[in-house]
Amino acid sequence: MAKDSKLILDPLADNNPITIQVLGICSALAITAELEASIVMSISVLFVLGVGNVVISLMRNIIPSKIRIIVQLIVVATLVIIVDLILKAFAYELSKTLSVFVGLIITNCIIMGRFEAFALGNGPWRSFLDGIGNALGYGIILVIVGFFRELLGSGTLLGFPVLGDPIEKTGLYALGYENNGFMLLSPMALIVVGIIIWVQRTRNKDLIED
Amino acid sequence: MEHLELFFKSIFIDNMVFATFLGMCSYLAVSKKVSTAVGLGAAVIFVLAITVPLNWLLDQYILQPGALSWLGDEYAAYDLSFLSFIMFIATIATMVQLVEIVVEKFSPSLYNSLGIFLPLIAVNCAILGGSLFMQSREIPTLGLSAVYGVGSGIGWFLAILAIAAIREKIRYSSVPPALRGLGITFIITGLMAIGFMSFGGMLTGGDEEAKSEEKTAATEVIKEDVKSDTEVKTNLDVAENTNK
Amino acid sequence: MAVNTEKNSYTVIFAIGMVVIVGVILAGLFSWTKPMITQNEEIEKQQNILYAMGVNENDESSAVFVSTEVASKEFASNIKEQMVITVDANGKMLKSQTRDEYMAENNNKEPYLIDIKKQKSNAKSGEPRQLPLFIGEKDGKKIYVAPIYGKGLWDAIWGYVAMDKDMVVQGAYFDHKGETPGLGANIKQRFFMDDFYGEHLLTDAGVFKGITVAKGNADPKNENKTDNEVDAIAGATITGDGVTAMIKSDLKLYVPYFKSLKN
């Protein structure tokens, strides 16, 4: 049981998919200009990684190793397309919000990375936990980056203005504060992630490289 | 000219790593040494140069709405575009494994230097990104799609080469311990991306369509063909009447 | 059941089996959901057109369509006519048809279902292009809604612009396929779309100029309506340029029609 909880807790910090395993970076940069998008993306990855890991784990003994990469990619793509089609038919509004993320999920290497590294060698239950854990670890970083970029870049959180109105000059803006539009550009996401890594490794010296 | 423009555009302005942030994972993970970076970069150019034109053909003759019309008129109504993701991915994964098998068979030395990177490429989102951009940007011909594939590959190659060279040198600098390795790489990449944004100024103002239009639009509107105008007007009168 | 998963024959059989299974699942699912998806898309188009002409349920800050249940009823009562204007590749007007005329010629296809993307690529290859125009009435004023289509940073962007007879914008709706959330994706937010209200598409001299999504606009509150400019979204330059380009290229084609209204 202790081992099972480790599967979930480890990826949250010491084995984080983004800051340690270097997986799923592209999406972490692309969509974190807004906190809401970060949260939606995290939930979508949670779903796809959880289910995908179980499916791959169930198939692990019958997949020929020569074509395993194709099989893995096709499983992810099929899952995502099925969900996308069903949402389009029965929850059209929701699918409009999520459609942007479909391509990002399929190309997200965190999913392939966990299939390859874990699900191919472990049972369904453990694979499921591993999927959930890694998706949560991924989500935490996304939410942190999204929080800072939205707050400093547009002065809002989840779309609500928290620092006052930049045009009417109320709140902080009355004191001469300006939004840092630079935070909204993708390069700043890289730098924010770099700073997160810095903080994390300062706290846990074991993770320092070289 | 068109080919040349697209070529440089895909290398610098739409650089896969610095402008669209695709292929970041292998970019960060395999950039510790210049020699390995060159190997992976070459493999990416190669695979992009094959898969983008191949997927262009797939898109043009199978996937697009109405693409099946070469089979006969009764197939013209089919729309298989919902399969594009899966077809593109399957092509890429197949090509990567095919290349791996062929290289292993005919050139063991090349396989030894390139081989370990090939499985990595299948999960490199720059490759799928290349095909998806080719589709969404509606690249018109097979030749242009090949140019686009090679150009994006070279852009990715340049990016990983640059960061690998920097990382080799940075060992001699006193970076704060906790920032060493991955952390400083992230930050340098961010700064490089900001630098690359200046290339965006090379082609501003949207597409050429909009530019040529501004010139012609003004004259066109003023010198309108009076004759066709009245013709249309009679048509419109009918329309207005039925309206009421 | 011990199978040798390394044998070539097994690999081939597995591959074929998987392709068949995945193919059947996807094709089955697609044909099962297709009618519902098509219906959803049609309703969405109606909602978009209605939104542009001001028939919506906006609250204070967010954009809300009329509900899906009433969309087609509202569409029928608000849109009095759906014109289809045909222009040749040079933008010269060839003919204009009413909805009934168009439907008689095209197997009862409603004009609002015309695929703008396809018409645009037709025009590129030199064929005539069909331009739908939806005419409604609001506060006793005739409103003309025209669809536009273009490219953003990642993928397609499109929208509907409502104008009065002088080509002054009466409302706009934009949407996108995959722009960056929080940046380019904000073109479908109220704060951006509302800026277009009241903007002039023509210059004072009556020449078509379009509306430019301008960076460094000296008018962030958008009080000057005749400057042919609205304020851009920070960090979304290419999407903004795409909006500018599609407004200029697509709405220009309607200019001859609006001219003819005046005579």
Side-chain angles (χ1 to χ4, degrees), chain A residues 18-20 22-26 29 65-70 73-74 77-78 81 85 102-103 106-107 109 112 182 185-188 190-191 193-195 197-198 201-202 208-210, chain B residues 18 21-26 28-29 32 82-83 85-86 89-90 93-94 97 119 122-123 125 128-129 132 167 171 176-183 186-187 189-191 193-194 197:
Chain A
I18 292 185
T19 62
I20 309 293
V22 206
L23 291 173
I25 311 281
C26 320
L29 303 174
S65 63
K66 279 180 204 146
I67 56 166
R68 65 174 197 287
I69 292 177
I70 308 181
L73 283 170
I74 288 180
T78 314
I81 294 172
L85 280 176
V102 171
I106 297 184
T107 53
C109 40
M112 283 289 304
F182 219 53
L185 302 176
S186 298
M188 285 310 288
L190 277 165
I191 293 175
V193 175
I195 293 171
I197 293 177
W198 192 359
R201 294 190 184 179
T202 311
I208 294 175
E209 285 174 49
D210 295 332
Chain B
F18 296 126
F21 299 94
L22 291 177
M24 267 290 168
C25 308
S26 25
L28 290 167
K32 282 193 184 123
F82 70 101
L83 284 175
F85 272 127
I86 216 161
I89 285 177
T94 318
Q97 283 196 333
V123 292
C125 43
L128 182 62
L132 291 173
R167 282 180 82 167
R171 281 172 205 280
L179 210 51
R180 258 178 229 155
L182 198 57
F186 265 98
I187 292 174
T189 310
L191 295 175
I194 293 169
M197 285 168 74

Side-chain angles (χ1 to χ4, degrees), chain C residues 163 167 169 199-203 208-211 228 247 251:
Chain C
M163 299 160 279
M167 293 193 90
V169 176
E199 284 286 338
H200 291 240
L201 283 159
L202 305 176
T203 59
F208 181 80
K209 196 174 173 205
I211 296 172
N228 300 80
I247 287 178
L251 292 184

Side-chain angles (χ1 to χ4, degrees), chain B residues 12-25:
Chain B
F12 293 109
I13 303 171
D14 293 336
N15 186 289
M16 275 285 177
V17 175
F18 296 126
T20 57
F21 299 94
L22 291 177
M24 267 290 168
C25 308

